[in-house]
Amino acid sequence: MATRSQTAAVLLAGALALAACGSGGSQAPAAQSGGKTLVIDTSFDLKTADPGRTYEPTGLIVGKATYETLLTFDGGDVTKPVPALAESYELSEDGKVVTLKLKQGATFADGAPVTADDVVFSLTRVRDMKGTPSFLLDGVEIAKTDDSTITLTSEKANAALPYILPNPALGILNSKVVKAQGGTADAQDKAEQYLNGNSAGSGPYQIESFNVSSQVVLKANPKYYGAKPAYDKVVIRNVEAATQKLNVQRGDSQIALNLSGDQVTNMPATLQVKKTASANVIFLLANQDPAISKTTTNAKFVEAVRKGVDYAGLLELAGEGSTRAPGVIPSQLLGALPADRAPARDVEGAKKALAESGLSNPSVKLEFPSELTVNGLSFQPLAERIQANLKEVGITVDLQPAPVTVALDNYRNGKEEMGLWYWGPDYPDPNDYLAFLPGQTVGARAGWKTGSAKDIEEAGEKAAKAIGDEARTAAYHEVQEKLNASGPFVPLIQPGQNIVTAASVTGVEYHPVWTVDLADLGAK
């Protein structure tokens, strides 16, 4: 879990870029040419265009457009992987082997066919280069069975693998081109600089220009073997949220990706606003290490917190598109608890639990990153609302905002008495949420050691081994119900994801991994 921990840290720290980014050089005019141009404003979280190294939100938008993966998802539905470069896949009965048959006729941007050798090179490169996304293929052996068959073999049952393969970080590269540019399938790889200016994929778009701080310009791939994309050019600009709103209202852009619930209210009727819950889950943690707190280790205290929070009030703060989080798994994913399982506020029940705790007028410190925003929502007003909620119950909450570097360090090292954080999926599979169990990534951050809750840990082991949608759904429901009953986490809300577009743009669907699929966007 070490790599996962580092990745989660990168994602959390990276989220700050969404809040702190200024418009910088983002107002450079979009390059115009013949044909249709789409201008998208977003707050950049971008480091590279090399799919084997990218794991930031903006990079995944670019990667999805320029590289194809073996499997993908249909629109915003992440409950079932569907074929892409692979025409079919099969998971073995023991869950350890995924067998994929390659589609015939797929070609790279230079017209070369996509081969099984390209697949083996590309996936091995991600795994062995040890970049940010390498954990996606930890413990997975990649082999070519014949010219059209690939097998991926895991050490343990890995029913999540088909849900991991659509990630743009696992995009398939033209191995001959990449090797000629210093590419290798290990840590000695030197192809990143080339891939930051050139596309070596089979996607519907190619990179025309790439700047991590200002804008990325994509052009339609003339040799794309599939359906031609609606736009000849896509310009993705780095713009702060307030300017995004102005630009899309006056027609300087056609899409704004980072507007909060408040910012999308009273939009002109000429614009389309797609409001949906994001896949981010904001939660409270109560540290279970007695060396950190004698208060938060008290199970009745945690019960009082869980019953004392005014969830409906938090939704009011979060605004349009937000929803309650019945468990740690977000609503879009297989295994999410139904909405009606979400607990409601029970002030009297909270006071009763606090009385049963034996604690008299407890006071706790609540830490959170002061400048972090998630989907346009700041943590400060959430923390203040929770403070007021728990005061009504008899719990004094001392707010401890800190710069993200400080807060993140305390969070990662399990030093927070109580913490307010969020978790976004590394990949859209419930397996990723076993991180909340004792001794695992998030569990350890709550001081919850392996062996602390045998029944929950056994339920987690059962879920990890489950095969088939029905069995997996039931198993992950059980895990979350046990976590909600006696775990140290209080899932709060999924903030809204608001996408504003011009009336001319069609086909917009929010996706938890790549936000929007540029190839799905139409023009009218």
Side-chain angles (χ1 to χ4, degrees), residues 29-335:
Q32 297 292 326
S33 65
K36 292 181 178 177
T37 297
L38 177 71
V39 179
I40 300 174
D41 283 349
T42 187
S43 298
F44 272 23
D45 189 358
L46 179 65
K47 293 181 179 179
T48 180
D50 181 343
R53 289 181 167 90
T54 194
Y55 211 72
E56 294 72 41
T58 313
L60 295 176
I61 296 173
V62 174
K64 175 62 178 171
T66 51
Y67 292 88
E68 290 183 303
T69 47
L70 291 170
L71 302 177
T72 188
F73 294 107
D74 186 8
D77 181 2
V78 295
T79 62
K80 186 174 180 56
V82 297
L85 284 175
E87 64 179 17
S88 66
Y89 74 95
E90 183 179 350
L91 180 67
S92 62
E93 288 188 8
D94 63 4
K96 294 182 179 180
V97 181
V98 176
T99 303
L100 302 112
K101 290 286 185 182
L102 291 186
K103 180 187 294 180
Q104 300 303 304
T107 58
F108 290 111
D110 65 356
V114 178
T115 69
D117 291 326
D118 294 312
V119 172
V120 172
F121 170 81
S122 301
L123 300 186
T124 304
R125 179 176 180 265
V126 175
R127 185 194 65 195
D128 294 349
M129 224 171 24
K130 298 305 178 189
T132 305
S134 66
F135 79 97
L136 294 171
L137 295 176
D138 276 351
V140 178
E141 291 300 320
I142 303 138
K144 168 186 168 182
T145 304
D146 58 43
D147 287 345
S148 63
T149 310
I150 302 292
T151 57
L152 306 179
T153 305
S154 302
E155 298 167 356
K156 301 177 181 178
N158 191 1
L161 191 52
Y163 294 81
I164 293 171
L165 288 173
N167 194 293
L170 304 182
I172 305 306
L173 304 114
N174 186 326
S175 59
K176 290 181 180 177
V177 168
V178 173
K179 287 176 181 177
Q181 299 296 329
T184 60
D186 56 30
Q188 306 307 310
D189 179 89
K190 293 180 174 60
E192 182 179 12
Q193 184 175 351
Y194 173 79
L195 293 172
N196 279 341
N198 302 273
S199 299
S202 61
Y205 285 98
Q206 296 175 272
I207 291 174
E208 180 172 295
S209 65
F210 182 86
N211 186 298
V212 296
S213 60
S214 58
Q215 74 175 21
V216 176
V217 180
L218 305 178
K219 60 183 179 182
N221 173 6
K223 294 187 178 178
Y224 184 55
Y225 66 95
K228 183 179 178 179
Y231 296 94
D232 297 301
K233 189 165 292 192
V234 178
V235 182
I236 307 169
R237 307 188 300 191
N238 185 18
V239 182
E240 61 184 6
T243 308
Q244 288 184 36
K245 181 177 179 179
L246 289 174
N247 285 348
V248 76
Q249 285 181 321
R250 62 194 179 199
D252 289 349
S253 66
Q254 288 76 52
I255 299 180
L257 291 180
N258 299 106
L259 301 188
S260 68
D262 287 341
Q263 287 174 315
V264 300
T265 55
N266 301 317
M267 277 287 179
T270 52
L271 296 176
Q272 303 173 99
V273 182
K274 188 169 185 66
K275 303 171 185 175
T276 184
S278 72
N280 296 316
V281 173
I282 296 176
F283 64 90
L284 287 170
L285 70 83
N287 203 301
Q288 298 301 292
D289 184 351
I292 299 295
S293 177
K294 296 291 194 295
T295 301
T296 57
T297 50
N298 186 309
K300 283 294 180 179
F301 170 83
V302 179
E303 182 184 337
V305 171
R306 192 183 310 279
K307 290 181 175 177
V309 172
D310 179 8
Y311 302 96
L314 296 182
L315 281 184
E316 289 175 10
L317 281 177
E320 300 279 0
S322 59
T323 187
R324 279 293 322 280
V328 294
I329 299 174
S331 56
Q332 296 91 340
L333 273 58
L334 180 81

